[in-house]
Amino acid sequence: MISVEKLYKSYGTVEAVRDLSFEVRKGEVVGFLGPNGAGKSTTLRIVAGFLGANRGRVLINGHDIVAEPFEARSCIGYMPENVPLYPELRVSEYLRFRAELKRVRRADRAEAVRRVMRNVRVEDHADVVIAKLSKGYRQRVGLADALIASPPVLVLDEPTAGLDPNQIREVRELIRGLAAEHTVLLSTHILTEVEATCDRALVIHKGRLVAQGALEELSKLRETSTTHFVVRGDAQKALDVLEAQQGASKVRKRKDSAEEVSVLDVTWKGAPEATPDKVEHAVAALVGAGIAVREASPRKASLEEVFSLLTEEDAHSDHGSDRDGEAK
Ligand code: ATP
């Protein structure tokens, strides 16, 4: 459905997208996840045909977005981060106008407007002037606009940005509802958004893909990437020993540690299946340094920790694109 191959895009000296390749298959809802400035909007604009890449290729339903722009773009409904609505038009007027622009047949336009207003639940606001809509309703109108020409693929840039918690829940439900009939690629910098809405995530950082996988696969990283150590003895020494371990990315001492006994968490980088070996070495090193180890157990890292681990590693190694986060 969406195929992105070795995409590059620079703005002057800023390399916004670097060697980015991924696929979104039919019927999937894929979250494009990354911190601010990661290159999400740039990529989505290229995918939707609104921005040219420096290098690389985008195929939508087999149509090259550059060589066959009409065919490719007619398969996509794109919702930009800031939906450019016409404030003086009523909701139904605006959608009718958009239907015309997107070449929906004249005879089908009225029904198309009714259908999308029903889909995104704005029927009761059909005659309201856009300037008077709340942010949440504007987002819905943006979504209706993306849907008006019945495209099989939806590309949504931060669809819940700036909404309150109730509106976020509603828009997420709408997107999940659309998933039955559409392939969806949506960007977000919020992990819980991906958990709530998507089947699979692509994690992007500094323009590169640093991980991808089904959410269960990313969740496996949560379970295996952090070890909880309870040690007795010189806490500073224990910290030093753990920090010196190969693959230790982050070592933290819990604030609630008692005076004699310290609780330390180590987050490991690298393949999850190598974690037990690293733990074994760490225990031996601690004991060798005269520190008693009372406990060494896996701790379920938060998705935020996994996210920060993935993006940090990329910052250190600068080779993010040759790794992916799938627990193989
Ligand atoms: P956010 O979540 O903040 O919207 P993003 O992941 O969507 O971020 P992009 O907007 O794609 O990221 O930006 C990627 C990089 O490209 C950033 O360093 C940004 O400053 C830069 N950039 C984006 N648009 C332009 C532009 N028109 N001119 C110059 N630099 C740009």
Side-chain angles (χ1 to χ4, degrees):
M1 269 276 158
I2 301 178
S3 168
V4 170
E5 295 167 20
K6 297 192 171 298
L7 210 61
Y8 287 81
K9 174 70 188 176
S10 298
Y11 300 102
T13 55
V14 178
E15 290 183 295
V17 175
R18 297 186 277 173
D19 194 20
L20 186 63
S21 302
F22 63 85
E23 292 211 341
V24 181
R25 292 179 287 270
K26 188 167 184 226
E28 278 191 311
V29 180
V30 172
F32 200 45
L33 181 68
N36 285 15
K40 303 181 295 294
S41 297
T42 300
T43 306
L44 296 192
R45 291 178 68 204
I46 295 171
V47 167
F50 284 89
L51 183 69
N54 296 118
R55 259 198 285 162
R57 201 154 80 121
V58 174
L59 299 178
I60 311 293
N61 257 0
H63 301 292
D64 188 308
I65 197 86
V66 177
E68 302 171 88
F70 180 74
E71 290 82 352
R73 282 176 70 165
S74 66
C75 298
I76 289 192
Y78 170 57
M79 178 172 150
E81 197 169 2
N82 298 303
V83 185
L85 302 172
Y86 288 83
E88 68 282 6
L89 293 186
R90 295 175 198 284
V91 170
S92 57
E93 286 169 349
Y94 171 75
L95 291 172
R96 217 184 149 83
F97 163 64
R98 296 294 295 168
E100 193 179 333
L101 272 188
K102 294 186 183 182
R103 303 189 193 188
V104 174
R105 287 200 353 236
R106 181 185 287 271
D108 299 334
R109 277 178 214 152
E111 176 48 30
V113 170
R114 268 197 298 277
R115 172 180 53 80
V116 292
M117 288 200 304
R118 207 168 43 237
N119 279 357
V120 306
R121 292 184 235 133
V122 292
E123 292 153 301
D124 51 344
H125 286 58
D127 296 327
V128 177
V129 173
I130 285 173
K132 293 190 178 168
L133 291 178
S134 68
K135 170 94 179 150
Y137 270 91
R138 282 171 193 233
Q139 290 297 94
R140 291 186 195 202
V141 174
L143 207 49
D145 179 351
L147 289 166
I148 194 93
S150 305
V153 181
L154 291 176
V155 174
L156 312 175
D157 197 354
E158 304 248 3
T160 60
L163 302 185
D164 73 31
N166 285 333
Q167 294 168 332
I168 288 176
R169 208 186 53 240
E170 285 170 17
V171 170
R172 284 178 182 168
E173 276 171 19
L174 283 176
I175 294 170
R176 278 251 59 116
L178 295 170
E181 290 181 7
H182 296 84
T183 299
V184 183
L185 175 62
L186 68 89
S187 76
T188 177
H189 59 274
I190 307 163
L191 270 159
T192 46
E193 177 111 332
V194 173
E195 266 191 316
T197 344
C198 304
D199 309 313
R200 195 158 67 86
L202 304 165
V203 184
I204 177 175
H205 181 56
K206 295 190 173 171
R208 292 183 191 274
L209 195 66
V210 292
Q212 65 173 313
L215 286 185
E216 309 91 74
E217 286 161 351
L218 292 182
S219 290
K220 273 187 206 154
L221 286 174
R222 294 165 72 171
E223 282 158 23
T224 50
S225 64
T226 303
T227 308
H228 178 77
F229 289 91
V230 181
V231 300
R232 191 165 47 77
D234 184 338
Q236 187 53 51
K237 199 168 176 185
L239 274 171
D240 293 343
V241 168
L242 290 172
E243 265 163 10
Q245 293 302 300
Q246 204 181 12
S249 151
K250 216 180 240 175
V251 182
R252 271 166 304 216
K253 184 175 171 210
R254 293 262 187 103
K255 285 206 185 77
D256 57 359
S257 299
E259 214 161 278
E260 267 284 287
V261 176
S262 305
V263 180
L264 306 166
D265 285 336
V266 179
T267 305
W268 307 100
K269 57 186 172 189
E273 50 282 18
T275 298
D277 283 344
K278 291 174 189 157
V279 174
E280 194 180 314
H281 285 131
V283 170
L286 286 166
V287 172
I291 293 156
V293 179
R294 292 189 161 192
E295 189 183 325
S297 54
R299 189 178 74 81
K300 198 167 178 175
S302 69
L303 266 178
E304 274 77 13
E305 283 169 316
V306 171
F307 185 36
S308 99
L309 182 69
L310 292 167
T311 49
E312 257 174 36
E313 271 185 65
D314 182 60
H316 292 157
S317 67
D318 220 31
H319 290 297
S321 63
D322 10 78
R323 272 183 303 106
D324 68 32
E326 291 182 9
K328 290 179 189 126

